[in-house]
Amino acid sequence: MEEQIEFRHWDELIPDALGLIFSNLSLQEVLTVIPSVCKSWRKAVTGPYCWQEVDIEEWSSRCQPHHLDRMLRMLITRSSGSLRKLCVSGLHNDSIFSFITENAGSLQTLRVRRSEMSDSVVERTAGRLSTITFLDLSYCGKIGARALEAIGRHCKLLVTLCRNMHPLDATGKLLQDDEANAIATTMPRLKRLEMAYHLISTGSVMNILAGCPQLELLDLRGCWDVKLDSQLMKEKFPKLKVLGPFVMDYYEMDDWDDDCSDYSDNSEYLAWEFEMGDYDDYDIYDGMWHDDEGRFEELELRFYEGNGEEAGILGWPQSP
């Protein structure tokens, strides 16, 4: 008696479940491979189910600015207002930051390190970020106290703020306590604050401790002008962990060095094309990704188009 082979009907999974499964794949696979497998999978990746959490931080640090803007607009549009988490690096203008905030109704986590938005756009749009609980503005050199004050006034749920700077930004400059004071006066619910390599004084740190009584972790590594009495800190803030200001080992560049590595648009990392689906601006994305070295052929996943008429020829089970 021949053993019967039972194929799973993956098309019967609800789109939310498919989106959860596809979230374990790389961005490349979700945009190129999955849409070509079958109609139900294509529908899942062109809808909001796969884009409630978008993490393109690594990719964005190596791409051209206009490619980044277009990718963000496509993925955020697909999220249809359900975006909960966005991690990206190197926003190059106010326009794309404003677009993000226009679609931030459900956003809780926003990481936009090394971005170039201005104080003015943050002041205008901070009211749209009222659901944010985690915000990373590290290495954003064009914003300052004005932006942080606007965020503090509007983002009442914020519990984590990362505002680290590069050590070279502090070289040869005077103390700048305005950002620390803005945080102290507008963000009382903070539990974690990172301000590595900021030009701040001991007095401004004490203002933060007084204005943010729920703080559990304060990162002051590289804040050389801060002098804290360890015994006093233990007595007054027994639950608070303070890192720094002295760096016990060499400065770990976070992933700064990685972003300065020898990558280009022709690197292997960028050598792929993604399926744009029915996105209205398909033509303007043409050529964003290319495969000069034929790397795409190395993908182990085989896929097919259509509804499965050729499935037998390719040795696949019937398409869902």
Side-chain angles (χ1 to χ4, degrees), residues 44-68:
V45 298
T46 54
Y49 315 104
C50 290
W51 311 113
Q52 295 176 0
E53 297 188 0
V54 174
D55 186 346
I56 57 172
E57 187 169 7
E58 182 180 1
W59 172 83
S60 61
S61 66
R62 294 166 171 82
C63 72
Q64 293 294 320
H66 60 287
H67 291 167
L68 174 58

Side-chain angles (χ1 to χ4, degrees), residues 147-182:
L148 293 180
E149 184 177 352
I151 290 167
R153 289 200 311 267
H154 295 283
C155 305
K156 299 301 184 181
L157 302 179
L158 188 65
V159 295
T160 298
L161 175 65
C162 303
R163 184 68 179 124
N164 302 308
M165 300 303 289
H166 192 274
L168 294 179
D169 294 332
T171 304
K173 296 182 180 179
L174 300 176
L175 289 179
Q176 298 173 342
D177 288 326
D178 52 349
E179 288 194 20
N181 292 331

